Amino acid sequence: MSENNPSTVIRITKEEALSDHVDDLLKRQMSLRGEPGVTRDRRKKWYYQNWLVLALAGTLGAILAWAVLEPFFDDYLYMQGEVSDLNLADSLPLRMVNGGTNLQLLQPVEGSFRLKGEKFYLLRGVQELHAQGGATHFNIETLRDGDAVGVYVDYNPGTEQDLTLVRFVVPEPPKQSSSRASMPLRQLQARKNTAAILMFALVAGMIGLFVGAADGLVCRLPRRALLAGGVGLLIGCIGGFFCNIFANLVYTPLNNLAMAQFEHGGFSLSGFGFLIQLVGRSLAWCVAGMAMGLGQGIALRSRRLLLYGLIGGIIGGLFGGLLFDPIDLILLGPDKPSAHWSRLIGFAVIGASVGGLIGIVELLARDSWLRMTQGPLMGKEFLLFKDVMTVGSSPHSDIYLFNDPKVEKEHAIIRGVGDQCEIEALGKTTPLLLNNRPVQHSRLRHGDNVTIGRTSFVYQQRKG
């Protein structure tokens, strides 16, 4: 009632009571009283940042894929045995047709010999690998029949005759296992081809598995981790396999053009050839990255997460692919028979790029989220990725609050209403607190403190 006219009644509508102005005045009064949870809590734990978690997950997935793939992948096939039928006068034309394929040798042939009945051609500029590391020019004149050597070769199978070109020689090779030593070049080549075909699928699948399962593991949700990780593995493998076909259409012609740019008389790429190789590989991994981040979005039926995963995977694959060749050719050097270490680092960079970029895209594009300011995952941010999300102690909840006996199985529900979010209490024993006031149903505004049991959040909304 008015002071001048006691009989006058002031009526306040529900919309006025729930207006931003009233909330701002209440928050100001609570802040003046020193009550917590009113101002924006800036405490963050760096290890709960989603982009970092996903980057680490993608890295682990890529390393696991490398560990599975590497024993079967040879950059150059390796064989060792005793030299026979040495002929230093043997030669081949620089241009020839082998099995219907036109071949052009970058260096002339300066001799041949046999190992285990198979013929090998020695190219000018062949390198000798030393036991202590490093490579130098191999003097072909020092080779004799009966010498035990190991060779790394570029193997070109043909319909009538195989063409095997020696790239590196190991003068005193270590002993091989009987199973490995018995493999002919055709079997080694078949194993290499299989590994190459499965490479995109395996790397994409493992990155998809770990990236998809990461959030479920952090939130102690094994069911969600298994579901999202399993979908990520399946989609990654299938997508990686089909993307491999398209990627080869993009990469193979560019790679062939790059190989044609080898500097005359050597084994190193020219600057233009290196650039072509860089572009080709980055486009190939960009295509493969499309399938790496879709697992969580599909498993949780969230279009937002699906979009974030797609965009992040494409950008991450492109970025990781751009770094692959500089790591291989610049940091680790071209004079090596195997690129296993550069492949490990390259795969890890691709995994970290895909996972990290998915998290960064989510960070830049998200509309609203809750950051836990008190509780077992203090500092973690929970994206509101669906129109209706449940909060409770049930593992089936979208936001799972474990280790809190005051949280009921279905404690609250958060709904997206246009550009805003509303929260509704479902619990019967413990009240839902909004800015330290018990509420049954209320609209959420940026900076609101939400307390459920012993767990507190700050609701945040992207400005604009």
Side-chain angles (χ1 to χ4, degrees):
M1 293 182 293
S2 172
E3 183 178 347
N4 296 329
N5 188 358
S7 61
T8 302
V9 177
I10 300 175
R11 300 184 183 277
I12 301 176
T13 65
K14 181 180 179 181
E15 288 74 16
E16 291 172 334
L18 295 177
S19 67
D20 292 345
H21 180 66
V22 174
D23 274 2
D24 290 341
L25 290 175
L26 289 172
K27 288 179 181 180
R28 185 178 301 175
Q29 291 177 356
M30 294 168 67
S31 179
L32 291 173
R33 293 197 299 266
E35 296 185 25
V38 181
T39 59
R40 181 178 177 180
D41 188 345
R42 298 184 181 275
R43 291 177 298 172
K44 290 186 179 181
K45 292 188 177 180
W46 61 270
Y47 49 82
Y48 278 136
Q49 299 302 301
N50 206 34
W51 65 268
L52 178 61
V53 171
L54 294 181
L56 292 175
T59 303
L60 291 175
I63 291 175
L64 179 59
W66 173 86
V68 173
L69 183 71
E70 196 58 37
F72 306 98
F73 194 94
D74 298 308
D75 296 277
Y76 293 113
L77 303 186
Y78 177 77
M79 180 172 281
Q80 65 184 50
E82 291 187 358
V83 174
S84 63
D85 298 337
L86 178 63
N87 181 4
L88 297 183
D90 203 355
S91 63
L92 287 174
L94 291 179
R95 294 179 181 271
M96 68 188 76
V97 177
N98 184 48
T101 302
N102 294 319
L103 295 178
Q104 179 178 357
L105 302 183
L106 300 177
Q107 297 86 24
V109 170
E110 296 187 333
S112 67
F113 60 86
R114 289 187 178 274
L115 283 181
K116 297 181 179 179
E118 302 200 48
K119 192 168 185 177
F120 296 79
Y121 291 95
L122 290 160
L123 293 173
R124 179 187 298 172
V126 66
Q127 300 285 299
E128 177 182 341
L129 298 178
H130 303 285
Q132 65 273 21
T136 57
H137 175 72
F138 177 68
N139 186 0
I140 298 175
E141 301 292 337
T142 62
L143 198 60
R144 299 287 184 272
D145 279 335
D147 287 351
V149 297
V151 289
Y152 289 93
V153 301
D154 185 3
Y155 177 66
N156 301 277
T159 54
E160 299 179 358
Q161 180 183 359
D162 297 340
L163 179 61
T164 307
L165 306 173
V166 178
R167 297 289 187 181
F168 296 91
V169 175
V170 182
E172 297 179 0
K175 187 177 180 180
Q176 281 186 307
S177 65
S178 57
S179 59
R180 180 67 173 78
S182 63
M183 290 185 183
L185 289 174
R186 278 188 177 268
Q187 184 176 350
L188 293 173
Q189 183 68 28
R191 189 175 70 163
K192 174 184 176 179
N193 291 340
T194 302
I197 292 172
L198 296 177
M199 182 179 68
F200 276 93
L202 185 61
V203 174
M206 288 299 165
I207 293 176
L209 168 65
F210 278 71
V211 169
D215 192 65
L217 292 175
V218 171
C219 295
R220 315 298 200 275
L221 290 168
R223 180 177 175 274
R224 180 187 295 181
L226 287 173
L227 178 60
V231 173
L233 174 64
L234 181 63
I235 297 299
C237 285
I238 295 175
F241 181 79
F242 285 102
C243 286
N244 181 46
I245 299 174
F246 179 76
N248 281 330
L249 295 176
V250 174
Y251 176 69
T252 301
L254 291 176
N255 182 61
N256 291 339
L257 182 58
M259 293 301 103
Q261 302 298 319
F262 272 98
E263 293 180 347
H264 181 69
F267 292 103
S268 61
L269 277 171
S270 66
F272 180 64
F274 178 74
L275 179 61
I276 295 173
Q277 177 89 347
L278 196 69
V279 172
R281 198 182 301 276
S282 62
L283 290 177
W285 280 110
C286 174
V287 174
M290 294 173 61
M292 296 182 190
L294 303 181
Q296 190 175 22
I298 294 175
L300 300 180
R301 300 178 182 179
S302 170
R303 287 179 292 179
R304 288 185 181 181
L305 294 180
L306 190 66
L307 182 62
Y308 298 159
L310 178 64
I311 297 175
I314 291 173
I315 300 175
L318 179 65
F319 182 71
L322 282 172
L323 294 178
F324 193 98
D325 283 300
I327 290 171
D328 181 26
L329 297 178
I330 296 176
L331 297 182
L332 302 178
D335 293 331
K336 57 187 182 301
S338 175
H340 57 279
W341 290 120
S342 60
R343 238 186 327 272
L344 170 61
I345 298 173
F347 286 174
V349 168
I350 289 171
S353 299
V354 170
L357 263 297
I358 291 173
I360 291 174
V361 169
E362 174 188 303
L363 184 69
L364 296 176
R366 63 188 181 178
D367 295 320
S368 53
W369 62 98
L370 294 173
R371 185 172 74 247
M372 187 179 289
T373 56
Q374 183 177 342
L377 297 177
M378 187 174 66
K380 176 170 173 53
E381 296 175 338
F382 296 83
L383 180 69
L384 302 180
F385 57 86
K386 293 194 301 186
D387 291 336
V388 178
M389 294 186 62
T390 57
V391 185
S393 62
S394 170
H396 299 288
S397 301
D398 295 305
I399 300 178
Y400 173 45
L401 303 182
F402 54 92
N403 293 340
D404 192 337
K406 292 188 175 182
V407 177
E408 300 182 37
K409 287 187 176 182
E410 295 182 353
H411 203 111
I413 190 169
I414 300 175
R415 293 188 181 89
V417 182
D419 296 332
Q420 305 294 322
C421 285
E422 295 179 350
I423 190 167
E424 180 182 351
L426 301 178
K428 305 298 182 184
T429 58
T430 305
L432 167 69
L433 302 181
L434 183 64
N435 299 322
N436 296 327
R437 293 183 300 158
V439 296
Q440 187 63 33
H441 180 277
S442 178
R443 180 185 301 173
L444 292 173
R445 295 177 176 85
H446 181 78
D448 280 348
N449 181 270
V450 179
T451 303
I452 300 175
R454 297 174 180 172
T455 306
S456 295
F457 301 90
V458 169
Y459 172 77
Q460 293 185 300
Q461 197 170 23
R462 186 161 57 96
K463 294 181 180 180

